[in-house]
Amino acid sequence: MLANYHTHTTRCKHATGTEREYIEQAIKSGFKTLGFSDHVPFPDSYGFNPTMRMSMDEVEDYTSTLVKLREEYKNDIEILIGYEVEYTPTYFQDVLNYLKKFPFDYIIQGQHFVEGKFCDEYTGYKTDSLEYFDEFVKTTIEGMQTGEFMYLAHPDLFYYTGDDNIFREKMRPIIEEAAKLDIPLEVNMYGFSDHRNYPSDKFWSMVPEFGAKVILGCDAHYPELLTQPENIPGLVEFLERNKLTELLV
């Protein structure tokens, strides 16, 4: 694993460590490219409580800090500037237009919320609501179809507590669309090491059927998470069991 594009900073209010510590750890772990993709901010006028993301007035510092470090470490590692962004039909374009005022390299889609439940009902909370599940799938696919995202982070984040067959039926269109659009799906290494509901066999066992591309993402919220998959117990076996190794990009 030579590149990680899923890295956070303390600005999101739930990560620790300095940018320099992340960079030094990435170099130590053998990465050639490190992409920072902190949670995208939203304007105060939207009325969302930004307890899990940076504020709009931190974007300039986020950018300038990484630009300086990119120059400082240019002979050691490639530093990229990005964001992890939720797609919503109402807010997405406004947010993207704001981000474009500053230099950045990419965005990844992390569908933690859907419109109407924004910053209110996290998609990683347990639920048996099929209506909410359908909205998650619909919003995720619409986001991918914008063509703006580098890849889809933790595509199996939605924590459906109902029947596994229903879960597979609902999730299959996301995998199918990712394959059609040639958008990689992320096996989230943090979720695996933290024993979350994702990444799950019931989702990833379907991926080879459609041949969707697969990418590994550290989702680093502290520097030590920038590690190689073989250092996370069971992760290599998970990839092999679900026949994902040949799909990795």
Side-chain angles (χ1 to χ4, degrees):
M1 183 178 178
L2 298 178
N4 174 65
Y5 303 99
H6 197 165
T7 313
H8 294 279
T9 78
T10 56
R11 295 173 189 81
C12 73
K13 305 176 183 65
H14 60 284
T16 60
T18 66
E19 291 86 352
R20 187 178 300 277
E21 288 174 320
Y22 283 98
I23 294 168
E24 293 285 351
Q25 180 64 34
I27 295 170
K28 179 181 176 182
S29 297
F31 290 98
K32 302 301 182 184
T33 299
L34 178 64
F36 284 86
S37 53
D38 214 355
H39 293 280
V40 73
F42 285 93
D44 293 339
S45 60
Y46 288 176
F48 302 139
N49 185 7
T51 57
M52 301 291 282
R53 61 190 66 238
M54 73 174 81
S55 60
M56 298 294 278
D57 60 11
E58 291 179 292
V59 173
E60 185 173 0
D61 178 68
Y62 174 69
T63 305
S64 62
T65 298
L66 294 178
V67 166
K68 291 174 184 176
L69 289 168
R70 175 160 61 188
E71 177 63 22
E72 180 180 343
Y73 283 91
K74 65 182 180 182
N75 295 324
D76 303 300
I77 191 170
E78 179 185 31
I79 303 296
L80 300 178
I81 303 170
Y83 296 88
E84 184 178 11
V85 184
E86 291 89 357
Y87 171 76
T88 54
T90 300
Y91 310 116
F92 176 69
Q93 195 58 54
D94 286 346
V95 170
L96 191 59
N97 290 342
Y98 182 80
L99 296 182
K100 287 178 178 178
K101 295 179 179 180
F102 305 88
F104 74 95
D105 300 297
Y106 66 95
I107 58 174
I108 60 176
Q109 184 179 1
Q111 209 62 51
H112 305 93
F113 303 95
V114 299
E115 192 162 317
K117 298 180 182 290
F118 214 78
C119 295
D120 178 27
E121 191 170 340
Y122 176 50
T123 53
Y125 289 155
K126 292 181 179 181
T127 181
D128 61 359
S129 171
L130 291 177
E131 180 181 1
Y132 189 18
F133 203 164
D134 286 339
E135 188 62 28
F136 170 80
V137 172
K138 176 176 178 290
T139 303
T140 299
I141 290 174
E142 287 178 354
M144 289 193 292
Q145 290 172 340
T146 65
E148 297 285 357
F149 294 103
M150 180 184 191
Y151 73 72
L152 177 60
H154 38 61
D156 49 342
L157 171 65
F158 195 87
Y159 202 164
Y160 179 65
T161 58
D163 185 83
D164 284 355
N165 289 326
I166 294 176
F167 176 89
R168 294 186 185 96
E169 177 188 342
K170 297 291 186 184
M171 283 292 193
R172 190 172 287 111
I174 291 178
I175 302 171
E176 190 173 17
E177 193 68 17
K180 175 183 174 182
L181 297 172
D182 200 31
I183 294 177
L185 300 172
E186 180 202 72
V187 174
N188 191 274
M189 292 166 59
Y190 186 22
F192 191 92
S193 63
D194 199 42
H195 306 291
R196 300 182 179 184
N197 63 297
Y198 62 91
S200 67
D201 287 277
K202 60 186 176 182
F203 177 90
W204 289 99
S205 62
M206 296 189 293
V207 172
E209 175 186 348
F210 298 98
K213 289 181 178 178
V214 176
I215 192 168
L216 291 168
C218 293
D219 196 1
H221 284 75
Y222 52 90
E224 291 75 16
L225 285 172
L226 288 168
T227 189
Q228 295 295 328
E230 57 266 28
N231 296 326
I232 299 176
L235 180 55
V236 172
E237 291 80 1
F238 174 86
L239 296 172
E240 293 174 344
R241 180 171 66 248
N242 290 296
K243 300 179 174 61
L244 301 176
T245 53
E246 293 184 5
L247 300 173
L248 287 170
V249 295

